[in-house]
Amino acid sequence: MSTTQNRLATGKKVNSALDNPTNFFTSESLSARANDLSNLLDGISNSIKTIEVADNGISAITDLVESAQATVRQAQSNNNNSASTHIQSNSNIDTTGTTGTTTKDRVESQTLTALGMTGVGNGGVADSNFVITSTSENGVTNTFDLDAHFATTGKALNDANGDGTTGDNYTIADLVTDINASGVATASITEDGRLDLEVNGNQTLSLTITDQDATDATTQDGATGTSIAAAFGFGASASEDLSDPADADYVDEGETAVTWADGAGAGDVDTLTIVNQAGASDADNSELVAQYNEILDQIDELANDASYNGINLINGSTNDLTVAFNEHRDENKSELVIESADMTASGLALTDASSLSTEESNLKLDVLADALVTLRKQAGTFGSNLSTVQIRKDYTKEMINTLQTGADNLVLADSNEEGANMLALQTRQTLSTTALSLASQADQAVTSFLRA
């Protein structure tokens, strides 16, 4: 009965090696390993958190790199818009017959008829015309054709508003307004009365002015004949060659080609053509440069902040993470070494910007694209490591349960069985006591009888 009582009290059927040496020592071994693995679980859990922090850091750094890309693209856009074409007359438009307090006022009030233009809007081959053409880098053209504009709107040289009533002559101010409304170019009259045409972000800008001249051998400067070029202030305009050495092709960046074609005979059309090539100029991107460099600083700070329990896998500190999966430290050990990476700006080969010029912007975009590839590759590596560690954690939990169950099965007592045994023993003891009591009473009765 004492054995059964002990089993019920301890819950074990094997309490020492004396009870069952094989089961006792086997259970102790299984329990010891279960405890060792249980101790490793905390380390595995910390490792998971360390990897998660690193992965979150990479995601945030990726966002910063994409933000840096957007900044550089903005600088590119500024540079593209800064590259412009520009045509300006070298002298003021003829103001003969006009009135006004300033040269600009007199120029704007000048009529195209007074400048010598005739037949605009009639569609005749010998009629005067004023054509602006802007061509983009990919060859798309936008054109303002005064002759076509008149034909479409009903305007005429003597009907500026196109209402069919003559007398309101079409002026330089009207021409500037219509050019700007077309969106082909930005037109204006300078304070000293010169015509100014400009387009941002295109490749070439051309101006063609034609006019019928009654005089043969008309010169551009108007020394001979009536020059439409001189009337619009382009009498002394000449081609500009910026090449070094000069090549006289006038198609390089910023160069201007000016051609004057005199009609073959009296009554033929004289043509002035000016073509300006876009100049290579970069915008002032100082604010964007500061913004870009600040993003790189934030990348470094974020990488340094991505640590957990003293371990940082992405700041380039070569602080690798070793995750132990079993209790062995010898050749039977099972572990995973997660190598750290340098996801700082320098580790991603990102350097500060100086101007974000066209050339530098292109280089920065290339480096940023490579940085994104590196970040995504490292994120994939950490993701695979995280999955492996999580799987091993789940396996370790199951292994601990299996070991503990096996150990318990070897030494734990069956409480139901032991309870039944105890009841049986108690019943037997009660019966024995009762039988002994009855026997004693019978002996006493016989003794009493004999005494009597």
Side-chain angles (χ1 to χ4, degrees):
M1 180 178 287
S2 61
T3 299
T4 301
Q5 287 177 332
N6 187 42
R7 289 177 178 177
L8 287 173
T10 61
K12 294 182 178 181
K13 62 183 178 181
V14 178
N15 286 288
S16 68
L18 297 177
D19 296 329
N20 189 322
T22 300
N23 284 11
F24 179 79
F25 288 114
T26 301
S27 176
E28 286 293 307
S29 176
L30 294 176
S31 295
R33 190 179 181 209
N35 289 334
D36 290 340
L37 292 179
S38 181
N39 292 333
L40 292 176
L41 274 180
D42 290 338
I44 295 175
S45 296
N46 284 335
S47 299
I48 289 175
K49 293 302 180 183
T50 302
I51 299 172
E52 287 179 347
V53 168
D55 186 59
N56 291 337
I58 288 179
S59 296
I61 291 173
T62 299
D63 291 339
L64 288 174
V65 171
E66 291 174 346
S67 178
Q69 279 185 320
T71 300
V72 176
R73 290 194 179 102
Q74 179 61 51
Q76 273 191 326
S77 177
N78 292 348
N79 293 335
N80 291 337
N81 291 333
S82 178
S84 63
T85 51
H86 188 207
I87 294 176
Q88 186 180 86
S89 59
N90 64 293
S91 62
N92 65 276
I93 296 174
D94 185 11
T95 59
T96 302
T98 63
T99 59
T101 57
T102 66
T103 301
K104 180 178 180 181
D105 291 339
R106 291 191 294 273
V107 165
E108 290 179 339
S109 66
Q110 181 65 283
T111 67
L112 269 60
T113 300
L115 294 175
M117 302 195 80
T118 60
V120 180
N122 296 335
V125 294
D127 291 335
S128 301
N129 202 3
F130 187 100
V131 180
I132 302 172
T133 301
S134 173
T135 305
S136 67
E137 291 184 356
N138 56 8
V140 177
T141 60
N142 290 312
T143 301
F144 173 81
D145 186 313
L146 185 61
D147 188 74
H149 178 66
F150 276 12
T152 301
T153 61
K155 294 180 179 181
L157 291 174
N158 60 355
D159 183 7
N161 57 20
D163 61 1
T165 302
T166 60
D168 51 332
N169 293 326
Y170 194 84
T171 65
I172 290 296
D174 296 322
L175 176 63
V176 168
T177 298
D178 288 343
I179 293 172
N180 290 331
S182 72
V184 174
T186 299
S188 63
I189 301 300
T190 64
E191 292 300 323
D192 58 357
R194 290 181 292 172
L195 175 64
D196 187 272
L197 302 173
E198 185 174 8
V199 179
N200 291 328
N202 68 335
Q203 184 63 36
T204 62
L205 176 65
S206 69
L207 169 64
T208 301
I209 307 176
T210 59
D211 184 52
Q212 185 183 40
D213 185 17
T215 305
D216 188 16
T218 302
T219 58
Q220 179 182 339
D221 61 6
T224 302
T226 304
S227 170
I228 192 69
F232 275 89
F234 293 101
S237 296
S239 298
E240 185 178 10
D241 190 345
L242 301 178
S243 301
D244 186 15
D247 54 15
D249 61 3
Y250 308 112
V251 294
D252 300 316
E253 292 178 344
E255 293 185 343
T256 301
V258 178
T259 57
W260 170 256
D262 178 46
D268 290 332
V269 173
D270 298 335
T271 303
L272 171 71
T273 303
I274 302 176
V275 179
N276 176 245
Q277 305 292 327
S281 61
D282 292 318
D284 180 7
N285 293 317
S286 56
E287 291 185 4
L288 293 176
V289 168
Q291 181 178 334
Y292 178 87
N293 294 340
E294 176 61 27
I295 291 174
L296 298 195
D297 292 339
Q298 289 301 316
I299 289 175
D300 289 338
E301 291 182 12
L302 199 154
N304 289 326
D305 289 339
S307 62
Y308 184 85
N309 198 29
I311 299 177
N312 192 315
L313 295 176
I314 64 172
N315 69 344
S317 60
T318 64
N319 194 2
D320 297 340
L321 174 65
T322 301
V323 188
F325 297 128
N326 68 17
E327 70 279 15
H328 299 294
R329 293 290 88 201
D330 52 18
E331 66 275 5
N332 295 318
K333 67 182 178 181
S334 175
E335 64 183 19
L336 175 65
V337 178
I338 300 173
E339 296 182 356
S340 62
D342 190 353
M343 296 292 104
T344 62
S346 60
L348 295 172
L350 302 178
T351 57
D352 284 350
S354 58
S355 65
L356 288 182
S357 62
T358 299
E359 181 179 0
E360 187 181 48
S361 294
N362 290 333
L363 293 175
K364 292 300 183 187
L365 285 178
D366 291 340
V367 174
L368 288 169
D370 292 340
L372 284 177
V373 172
T374 301
L375 286 165
R376 289 163 183 162
K377 182 179 179 181
Q378 190 60 50
T381 300
F382 282 155
S384 177
N385 291 333
L386 180 61
S387 178
T388 298
V389 175
Q390 185 63 58
I391 290 172
R392 288 305 303 260
K393 178 183 178 182
D394 294 338
Y395 169 78
T396 301
K397 285 182 177 180
E398 295 296 330
M399 188 64 180
I400 292 172
N401 291 335
T402 299
L403 292 172
Q404 197 61 57
T405 300
D408 291 343
N409 288 341
L410 292 173
V411 298
L412 291 182
D414 185 340
S415 58
N416 291 329
E417 179 182 352
E418 297 303 328
N421 288 338
M422 176 59 73
L423 180 61
L425 290 172
Q426 288 175 340
T427 301
R428 182 181 300 173
Q429 185 180 46
T430 300
L431 291 174
S432 297
T433 302
T434 301
L436 181 60
S437 175
L438 291 175
S440 176
Q441 291 176 2
D443 290 341
Q444 291 177 357
V446 172
T447 303
S448 298
F449 177 73
L450 293 176
R451 287 177 178 172

